[in-house]
Amino acid sequence: MTFDITEIRTKFPALSQEIDGKQPIFLDNPAGTQVPQQVIDAVVHYFSRINANQGGVFATSKATDHMLYEARQIVRDLFIAYRPEEIVFGPSMTALNFNLSRAIAKTLPSDSELVVTRMDHDANIAPWLTIAEDNNWTVRWVDFAPELGTLDMASLDNVVNEKTKVVAAVHASNALGTINPVKKIAEVAHSVGAYFVMDAVQSAPHVPIDVQEIGCDFLLCSAYKFFGPHIGIMWGKYDLLESLPAYKVRPSKDTTPYRWENGTLSFETIAATAEAIQYLESLRGNNPEPIEGYGGRQLHLKQAFTALQAYETELAEQLITGLQAINGVTLAGVTDLDKLDERVATVTFVKDGHTPQSIVEVLAQHQIFAWAGHYYALEVMNRLGREDDGMVRVGAVHYNTKNEIDTFLNVINDL
């Protein structure tokens, strides 16, 4: 499939706006993507036609219940989950992970150990550090190779032992773009009976995810990173979601997923999340190749991500080769062009003689949007020796064009 970028971009109102006479170039995507019109329409439709709390006997409440059921089905298909009841919605990935960590903590013995990685966003580190501090547990760290940008799997083997109860690791790094061997991580965790909690925030917009194939016990992500609204999602194996002591108010249902969804949900953003996934499904194009083992929406999404990945790999190569050709630029992460399947199109760099903040300020003058700093990947920047100023981060997604990448590279070259 060849992406029709012109057609795709018409679906995103933000991409056609002008700021000071220029169309903005959104390379801030790792911090949050733009949304297609159908996602915006879903919010409007919910408030205009459905708006009510769940569980009532009247029409709009029943419509909300139906929307919730359908949304869970759609998210289930995105992650190839076992059943829709395993899909939990919440205010953010971070909030959901704090709830999950507290619930798990109540079940663990006094000599427990937890494993986290230096590649993770703090949303999959701080919750585990917090319960470890609360219970005087040991936290062991998995390192990564700074010169390669890849997780040190030998260090994972070294820190996991019979006392390990949780292994928390990221699928794709929000700072380095690295895609980690999560299936192997799951196997290591399960070899000692530990849970594997996977942060899929940065992988969900870029790669197909099959929780059954990966073998993780919990997955957490954010819909606003995959062209949806600001809402968090947690998937967990049904028996675990049913058995763990979820923190909840007494009148709420004690069945999954309701026992994990504290308070009234953001129904309008749940409706919009379902539309974001249906938008992704539409990227499969006409007459895509069949993929054995998948059917229905799950097949369509798998086909869409296959096409999406192929195009984004081209953008990643353009970013990496273009930046490497500029004097004084240093990149972090996987730069071997033969290993682009091991990363997403998120690229971090610094340039001699310029602070990361000054670079993004110059980019902003050209209406090119990017971030500087640590982006909550504190351990990554510490490990790279960039704890003071961090690095510049740009991230391409499937609505970005090669012309946009060229424009960005020209600005960096002219600094």
Side-chain angles (χ1 to χ4, degrees), residues 204-222:
H206 302 288
V207 300
I209 298 173
D210 184 335
V211 295
Q212 298 185 46
E213 180 183 11
I214 292 169
C216 53
D217 299 290
F218 300 94
L219 172 152
L220 298 115
C221 70
S222 303

Side-chain angles (χ1 to χ4, degrees), residues 376-397:
Y376 290 75
L378 299 176
E379 298 296 331
V380 173
M381 292 304 150
N382 290 342
R383 190 71 178 87
L384 295 176
R386 303 287 180 181
E387 60 271 17
D388 292 334
D389 296 323
M391 302 181 75
V392 179
R393 180 183 69 179
V394 292
V397 295

Side-chain angles (χ1 to χ4, degrees), residues 78-312:
L78 178 64
F79 299 130
I80 322 295
Y82 298 95
R83 51 195 293 182
E85 292 85 1
E86 295 172 327
I87 304 303
V88 176
F89 296 109
S92 66
M93 175 274 187
T94 305
L96 287 166
N97 209 17
F98 271 107
N99 286 345
L100 175 64
S101 64
R102 288 191 304 169
I104 288 176
K106 291 185 71 174
T107 69
L108 301 185
S110 59
D111 61 345
S112 295
E113 295 186 1
L114 312 177
V115 171
V116 295
T117 89
R118 298 199 184 279
M119 193 183 283
D120 273 73
H121 186 289
D122 216 53
N124 203 27
I125 295 177
W128 309 109
L129 296 184
T130 300
I131 64 168
E133 182 180 2
D134 290 345
N135 295 280
N136 295 315
W137 292 337
T138 297
V139 175
R140 300 194 183 276
W141 292 82
V142 179
D143 202 1
F144 70 91
E147 68 282 2
L148 299 175
T150 54
L151 202 64
D152 183 350
M153 294 299 287
S155 73
L156 174 65
D157 291 332
N158 290 337
V159 298
V160 170
N161 59 64
E162 66 279 358
K163 293 184 179 180
T164 304
K165 301 305 176 187
V166 175
V167 175
V170 66
H171 191 187
S173 168
N174 78 310
L176 301 173
T178 307
I179 299 174
N180 286 320
V182 286
K183 185 174 182 178
K184 175 61 176 176
I185 297 172
E187 291 171 356
V188 173
H190 294 159
S191 70
V192 295
Y195 298 124
F196 174 36
V197 180
M198 188 177 80
D199 173 359
V201 171
Q202 291 297 326
S203 57
H206 302 288
V207 300
I209 298 173
D210 184 335
V211 295
Q212 298 185 46
E213 180 183 11
I214 292 169
C216 53
D217 299 290
F218 300 94
L219 172 152
L220 298 115
C221 70
S222 303
Y224 71 96
K225 302 294 177 73
F226 61 79
F227 319 103
H230 293 92
I231 188 173
I233 300 168
M234 179 173 73
W235 165 84
K237 292 178 177 175
Y238 187 79
D239 60 335
L240 298 178
L241 293 177
E242 276 285 276
S243 61
L244 286 170
Y247 283 68
K248 58 181 284 296
V249 296
R250 291 174 297 173
S252 66
K253 295 179 181 178
D254 197 27
T255 56
T256 299
Y258 309 104
R259 63 199 306 269
W260 293 92
E261 294 175 333
N262 297 315
T264 297
L265 294 173
S266 176
F267 302 121
E268 67 278 9
T269 58
I270 293 172
T273 297
E275 282 299 325
I277 296 169
Q278 290 176 301
Y279 161 74
L280 285 168
E281 183 184 1
S282 73
L283 298 178
R284 64 192 288 259
N286 297 320
N287 302 314
E289 291 292 325
I291 300 175
E292 187 176 352
Y294 296 90
R297 186 187 293 115
Q298 294 180 3
L299 170 63
H300 298 168
L301 287 164
K302 185 82 170 178
Q303 291 167 328
F305 273 103
T306 299
L308 180 155
Q309 274 187 287
Y311 177 70
E312 289 187 359

